[in-house]
Amino acid sequence: MELGDRHGRVATDLRVSLTDRCNLRCQYCMPAEGLDWMPAEETLTDDELNRLIAIAVTRLGVTDVRFTGGEPLLRRGLPAIVAATKALPGSPRTAITTNALGLKHTAAALAAAGLDRVNVSLDTTDPETFERITRRPRLHDVLDGLAAAQAAGMRPVKVNAVLLRGINDHEAPDLLRWCMKHEYELRFIEQMPLDAQHGWDRASMVTADETLALLGESFRLTPLDGRGSAPAEKFLVDDGPHTVGIIGSVTRPFCGDCNRVRLTADGQVRNCLFAREESDLRAALRSGASDDELAQRWVAAMATKRPGHGIDDPAFLQPTRPMSAIGG
Ligand code: SAM
Ligand code: SF4
């Protein structure tokens, strides 16, 4: 079996949200206060999670597993979950997307568990801008976490940045310079309508074109071919060797090449970040479904994947769950 849809795409890249909780409050993701966490009893246990990941890898053709959230490092069982995933047949590639708070203390254990790669979210290297965006004064922890990931041998260490107009967009060239100096691979991601407070506004989003223009004032950018199913368009910076990625999720969608499927921390399959429906594997699992039945449910959930996210459609509706509860 495979996770195919009616538009010829096959999902092989599983994004697992380990928790909806977070220790930052980035303004493009969460409100300053409030936002109810998922009840503990609804969250999959480590064993339940490992079973679903095993089904995806051994029966459904998944080759890549990325752990995200909320903040995946807040999940205590993370190293054991990574180790269980790596021990599956074919040893899937594993990665985390993290804000890196606490990574300083866990990077070595995660590398030992077999974690292959880490993407750290960092929008600025200015402490004041950092606190303005994340609402917490924790820049130093993120920088320590990045260094620890590199010291633990994870390569490449990627940095994901979201630009916000009037807040950190003017810092884009500095951030690129800083990442090149530290050998981190930077990618800029367009802000998407996935914040819990529904504050996204197309007009104020910094587009991929604008980001390229901003960087173009300081660097010579040469497009590289071969985006494949990767969302980032890559550019060589000043003839290399460093590159920068631009992920135009909204204005340059890569839906036609999407190979992703998502599992939320409460055991719902989502066939798209922007899906309006979910398929409840947790209820099936807890009522005694066999691996085969769970796999069949998962396949059925993928069939209805829509061709695109439809953000530009006047009838577009933001998903009910915010990014932090879906898994970014
Ligand atoms: N807490 C982890 C982190 O920040 O890396 C993992 C979860 S976070 C939801 C995953 C990624 O989504 C981060 O890189 C974050 O910057 C990005 N993100 C969050 N809200 C976004 C939005 N509205 N538009 C675009 N990217 C967003
Ligand atoms: Fe937390 Fe990541 Fe959302 Fe920031 S983007 S609030 S770090 S989940």
Side-chain angles (χ1 to χ4, degrees):
M1 283 194 277
E2 61 178 19
L3 295 173
D5 66 33
R6 296 189 188 123
H7 307 280
R9 298 165 298 186
V10 178
T12 53
D13 182 347
L14 172 63
R15 313 257 148 164
V16 181
S17 175
L18 294 179
T19 175
D20 61 336
R21 293 172 190 240
C22 192
N23 36 19
L24 293 182
R25 286 260 166 183
C26 304
Q27 36 171 291
Y28 45 73
C29 186
M30 289 194 186
E33 281 167 43
L35 196 63
D36 291 336
W37 304 131
M38 207 175 264
E41 67 277 10
E42 288 180 15
T43 308
L44 295 180
T45 64
D46 290 3
D47 286 347
E48 288 172 330
L49 206 61
N50 288 336
R51 181 170 167 208
L52 292 180
I53 295 170
I55 290 171
V57 170
T58 60
R59 294 170 179 253
L60 299 172
V62 162
T63 55
D64 292 77
V65 182
R66 175 172 294 275
F67 299 102
T68 177
E71 180 41 52
L73 296 179
L74 292 179
R75 180 115 182 188
R76 275 200 202 112
L78 177 61
I81 293 170
V82 170
T85 303
K86 282 307 277 186
L88 292 169
S91 183
R93 285 180 287 271
T94 54
I96 56 169
T97 299
T98 174
N99 63 24
L101 298 190
L103 187 57
K104 178 181 170 183
H105 307 293
T106 48
L110 287 169
L115 185 70
D116 296 305
R117 287 197 295 123
V118 48
N119 285 23
V120 171
S121 304
L122 176 68
D123 307 318
T124 173
T125 53
D126 178 80
E128 277 172 29
T129 312
F130 183 90
E131 185 167 351
R132 193 168 165 204
I133 294 176
T134 67
R135 305 185 174 108
R136 301 286 185 272
R138 306 286 303 269
L139 174 66
H140 56 284
D141 289 313
V142 182
L143 303 188
D144 288 352
L146 268 164
Q150 201 166 51
M154 291 180 227
R155 293 285 185 285
V157 175
K158 292 190 185 176
V159 169
N160 293 346
V162 177
L163 292 180
L164 301 175
R165 193 179 303 287
I167 298 180
N168 66 337
D169 51 348
H170 62 286
E171 296 178 22
D174 286 343
L175 186 59
L176 177 55
R177 228 170 261 121
W178 184 86
C179 284
M180 292 194 296
K181 183 173 145 209
H182 290 87
E183 301 294 336
Y184 303 138
E185 205 177 302
L186 177 63
R187 296 118 45 89
F188 290 97
I189 307 178
E190 276 178 350
Q191 189 187 353
M192 294 178 278
L194 287 169
D195 55 310
Q197 62 277 29
H198 291 220
W200 182 86
D201 164 28
R202 170 103 201 207
S204 58
M205 175 188 81
V206 178
T207 63
D209 282 348
E210 283 178 81
T211 305
L212 283 169
L214 277 166
L215 296 175
E217 288 170 15
S218 304
F219 307 97
R220 191 170 50 259
L221 301 178
T222 316
L224 290 169
D225 290 336
R227 183 182 184 185
S229 62
E233 290 175 71
K234 269 193 174 185
F235 297 82
L236 206 58
V237 183
D238 287 342
D239 300 327
H242 296 104
T243 60
V244 63
I246 307 283
I247 305 182
S249 327
V250 178
T251 64
R252 301 176 182 199
F254 40 90
C255 304
D257 291 316
C258 179
N259 63 354
R260 298 177 176 183
V261 53
R262 296 183 142 80
L263 179 67
T264 63
D266 55 353
Q268 313 297 305
V269 168
R270 295 181 67 94
N271 56 28
C272 172
L273 254 183
F274 295 93
R276 313 251 348 126
E277 301 86 32
E278 300 180 338
S279 181
D280 189 358
L281 290 190
R282 186 192 69 223
L285 185 150
R286 290 188 179 170
S287 60
S290 67
D291 284 3
D292 214 29
E293 284 162 345
L294 290 168
Q296 275 163 15
R297 272 180 182 256
W298 205 325
V299 168
M302 291 308 288
T304 54
K305 179 162 168 154
R306 286 184 300 172
H309 57 44
I311 296 174
D312 278 330
D313 187 329
F316 173 78
L317 281 175
Q318 186 169 334
T320 329
R321 281 190 199 244
M323 178 86 126
S324 53
I326 297 172

